[in-house]
Amino acid sequence: MRRKQIQWINTPVLTEAIFRYERGLLSNSMKLWLEQVLEINQTKN
């Protein structure tokens, strides 16, 4: 099965997700989604 490609993201939603990401307020699934969308590479401590 092919992976779906993201075609667009609502700017206010993305902005709020980044705001919450920076403060550690996102659920794990949302954190992983944002890291994938923004191509953020996180290393495990």
Side-chain angles (χ1 to χ4, degrees), residues 1-2 5 7 19 22 29 36:
M1 188 172 202
R2 286 181 47 145
Q5 295 294 324
Q7 295 181 5
F19 177 81
E22 290 174 341
S29 61
Q36 181 182 2

